[in-house]
Amino acid sequence: MFNYIIKRFKKIVIRILALLFFLIFLLMVFLYLNYKLGDKYPNPNDIYTYIANNKTDAYLNENNKNFLKENDIWAIRLDKNGKVIESFNKPREVKNKFEITDVAGFTRYYLADYPVFTYILEDSLLIFAYPKNSLDKFPFNYYNYKGLLFNLGLIGLFFVLFLLFVYIFYRIDLEDILKNISPFQKAIDKLFEDDYENLDESGELRELAFAINKANDKYNNLKISQNKWIRGLSHDVRTPLAKISWELNKENKEDLDIKNIQDQVLKISNILEGLNLTMSLANIDKQGFKADNPLKIIRKLIVDKLNDNPDREIIFENKLENQDLRINMDPTLFYRMVENILKNSLIYTSGKIKLTLSSYEDEIIITIFDQGPGISKDIIKKINEEDLTNVTRHGLGIFIAKQIAELHDGKFSIENKDPGLEVSFIFDLVN
């Protein structure tokens, strides 16, 4: 677990550094694209070299004018008095006579918003002007070499400090993570042990602490439940086994009560079958459930039980307004769920049995009521608490019915009446 967290944290740091280098790469791309954009126009020095090499008696001869025209540049040449003596495509707003202050201004800045570049000749000034908004001119033409080195060193220092801070934060966060995770590691090591101590369910990792504590509690409850199951099974199997043993130990084998032995074997078989079913219900995949109508299953069940018990009276009351209501179910398990309650009523009571089917809002309600003596409050409590001690003998069928109802995301209730016993199932309807 620690190794996983450390690996994940290292990946975060690596990604931060990768992002940093990616930003540096983007900056270089930005500078390069700006350089290429600025390279759209020829270098003023290259323009001057071409003009100077191809001059005749005039600098702005036809050949040079064509060259300037191809590069979208206009030019003028001033004499010592600031008067224009040669020009090419000079705009109207540009004067024909310049003062020395004018020359000082456009040499450093702009001439009528045109970026211009000035070259000194023997007896005049040659000026090239680029289109407006094409090039920018800086108000200075110098730099401090020591300042440049200082700035480069400062950038390098900042980069090193950044890496140092990343490492420091990495160590601090790593130690903080280890400090917070250490109790969880110890808890996991002692999970399911008798000396397990519950984690504090507060702080940033409270969800994890809650999950681990819940897992341990669930295991302990399962262990307790299994112990109770074993005790209950031992208790309920011991009696029929004792009866079988007593019969088999009779000296006169002709006195053996075969019917009694068969009944006791059947009891043991039913107990084991019920326990196996309760254990298998926990592993059933509800993905196989489908929307089906419970009405047809209940009708079939009532017909089956009336055929098996023709002398009994089972009253079916259908209060459903919509006869095509559906719930998500497994038909076989649903049949077994209702059958367990109905069979108990048939076995342990002798009066009328009433099964009612009704609906309320988005729920369907199945109620089974008999006129018997009911069952003890202790058994009802054990069923609700899923305690199988002695339930295997008196209420395992009810317990299995409760499990099946909960497997269908339904609600189960059992209540003694005066007289009788009422068991209800409530399920959500589906479209």
Side-chain angles (χ1 to χ4, degrees):
M1 183 176 180
F2 284 164
N3 291 335
Y4 171 78
I5 294 174
I6 293 174
K7 288 180 180 178
R8 295 295 300 178
F9 198 79
K10 285 182 177 178
K11 287 183 179 180
I12 294 174
V13 174
I14 292 173
R15 286 170 184 166
I16 292 175
L17 296 178
L19 179 61
L20 173 65
F21 287 111
F22 179 68
L23 292 175
I24 294 175
F25 171 75
L26 291 181
L27 177 61
M28 294 176 66
V29 171
F30 171 78
L31 295 175
Y32 174 76
L33 292 177
N34 276 269
Y35 167 76
K36 294 298 292 184
L37 183 63
D39 199 41
K40 176 180 178 181
Y41 297 95
N43 190 293
N45 292 335
D46 295 337
I47 297 293
Y48 171 73
T49 301
Y50 183 91
I51 297 297
N53 291 336
N54 291 278
K55 73 179 183 66
T56 54
D57 56 337
Y59 277 88
L60 302 179
N61 54 38
E62 289 301 320
N63 180 52
N64 286 341
K65 286 180 179 180
N66 290 332
F67 175 73
L68 294 173
K69 184 177 181 180
E70 291 175 359
N71 291 282
D72 195 19
I73 295 174
W74 59 268
I76 58 177
R77 188 161 71 93
L78 306 181
D79 62 13
K80 293 181 179 181
N81 297 319
K83 182 179 179 181
V84 176
I85 54 177
E86 278 189 89
S87 69
F88 171 70
N89 283 348
K90 181 179 75 67
R92 291 184 178 180
E93 67 266 25
V94 176
K95 299 187 294 185
N96 291 318
K97 179 75 169 58
F98 295 90
E99 301 296 332
I100 189 171
T101 54
D102 296 328
V103 175
F106 67 67
T107 299
R108 172 166 292 189
Y109 302 107
Y110 296 81
L111 173 58
D113 293 331
Y114 290 94
V116 295
F117 299 90
T118 305
Y119 293 88
I120 301 173
L121 306 177
E122 292 181 358
D123 56 351
S124 59
L125 292 178
L126 184 59
I127 302 165
F128 302 114
Y130 286 72
K132 291 181 180 180
N133 301 319
S134 59
L135 300 177
D136 291 326
K137 294 185 68 178
F138 293 105
F140 59 86
N141 55 1
Y142 64 90
Y143 69 91
N144 188 320
Y145 178 71
K146 291 184 178 179
L148 176 64
L149 294 179
F150 174 78
N151 289 331
L152 292 177
L154 199 60
I155 292 173
L157 177 62
F158 288 165
F159 181 73
V160 172
L161 289 176
F162 173 81
L163 296 179
L164 179 61
F165 287 152
V166 169
Y167 177 76
I168 292 174
F169 292 149
Y170 163 75
R171 295 300 304 178
I172 293 174
D173 290 342
L174 182 60
E175 291 178 2
D176 187 53
I177 289 174
L178 295 178
K179 179 181 178 181
N180 292 330
I181 295 297
S182 179
F184 292 92
Q185 181 68 46
K186 294 178 181 177
I188 292 174
D189 291 339
K190 291 188 176 182
L191 195 62
F192 310 144
E193 300 292 340
D194 294 334
D195 59 345
Y196 174 83
E197 295 182 4
N198 279 341
L199 292 166
D200 181 17
E201 296 179 5
S202 62
E204 297 178 349
L205 300 174
R206 54 184 175 274
E207 293 85 0
L208 180 58
F210 175 77
I212 295 176
N213 288 338
K214 184 178 180 181
N216 189 73
D217 292 340
K218 188 174 182 180
Y219 170 79
N220 287 332
N221 292 335
L222 178 62
K223 186 166 62 173
I224 294 171
S225 177
Q226 286 177 341
N227 291 334
K228 290 180 178 180
W229 280 25
I230 293 172
R231 289 198 302 270
L233 176 62
S234 175
H235 180 276
D236 293 329
V237 171
R238 188 183 302 120
T239 300
L241 283 177
K243 291 182 179 180
I244 294 173
S245 177
W246 183 78
E247 288 290 342
L248 293 177
N249 287 331
K250 288 181 177 179
E251 294 182 1
N252 187 358
K253 302 302 180 182
E254 295 179 357
D255 295 336
L256 289 177
D257 188 348
I258 302 300
K259 181 65 169 61
N260 185 29
I261 294 176
Q262 290 176 341
D263 289 343
Q264 302 308 318
V265 170
L266 183 60
K267 283 184 181 180
I268 295 174
S269 176
N270 289 336
I271 291 172
L272 294 178
E273 180 188 358
L275 288 173
N276 287 334
L277 180 58
T278 59
M279 296 179 68
S280 64
L281 286 175
N283 299 319
I284 290 179
D285 184 7
K286 294 192 290 186
Q287 297 296 327
F289 287 16
K290 61 181 181 179
D292 205 348
N293 188 346
L295 179 59
K296 61 182 182 181
I297 297 175
I298 292 174
R299 281 175 173 165
K300 181 180 183 305
L301 172 62
I302 293 175
V303 171
D304 291 342
K305 293 306 172 186
L306 286 175
N307 289 336
D308 295 338
N309 304 272
D311 57 329
R312 298 298 300 272
E313 184 177 3
I314 302 176
I315 302 171
F316 177 49
E317 187 174 358
N318 184 359
K319 296 182 178 180
L320 296 178
E321 296 181 2
N322 181 3
Q323 302 298 307
D324 193 31
L325 298 179
R326 296 174 179 272
I327 64 173
N328 278 325
M329 66 158 71
D330 178 287
T332 303
L333 289 175
F334 193 87
Y335 182 97
R336 178 67 179 270
M337 175 190 74
V338 183
E339 181 193 30
N340 281 2
I341 306 301
L342 202 56
K343 186 164 60 174
N344 274 6
S345 297
L346 289 169
I347 293 173
Y348 298 111
T349 68
S350 58
K352 296 179 182 179
I353 302 171
K354 184 178 180 181
L355 194 155
T356 304
L357 198 59
S358 60
S359 64
Y360 178 74
E361 294 183 348
D362 293 330
E363 295 177 332
I364 187 170
I365 306 167
I366 304 167
T367 303
I368 301 172
F369 173 75
D370 63 44
Q371 297 177 336
I375 59 178
S376 70
K377 294 182 180 180
D378 183 59
I379 295 297
I380 293 178
K381 181 180 179 182
K382 289 178 181 294
I383 290 173
N384 290 328
E385 294 178 354
E386 300 187 0
D387 180 358
L388 289 187
T389 308
N390 295 333
V391 171
T392 51
R393 181 171 45 169
H394 298 289
L396 183 58
I398 301 175
F399 179 78
I400 293 173
K402 176 178 181 289
Q403 277 192 309
I404 296 175
E406 293 174 347
L407 185 64
H408 287 76
D409 297 324
K411 302 172 186 175
F412 170 89
S413 68
I414 180 170
E415 183 180 359
N416 280 320
K417 297 295 183 178
D418 188 19
L421 180 71
E422 183 180 88
V423 177
S424 297
F425 303 98
I426 303 175
F427 301 98
D428 292 330
L429 297 172
V430 296
N431 297 326

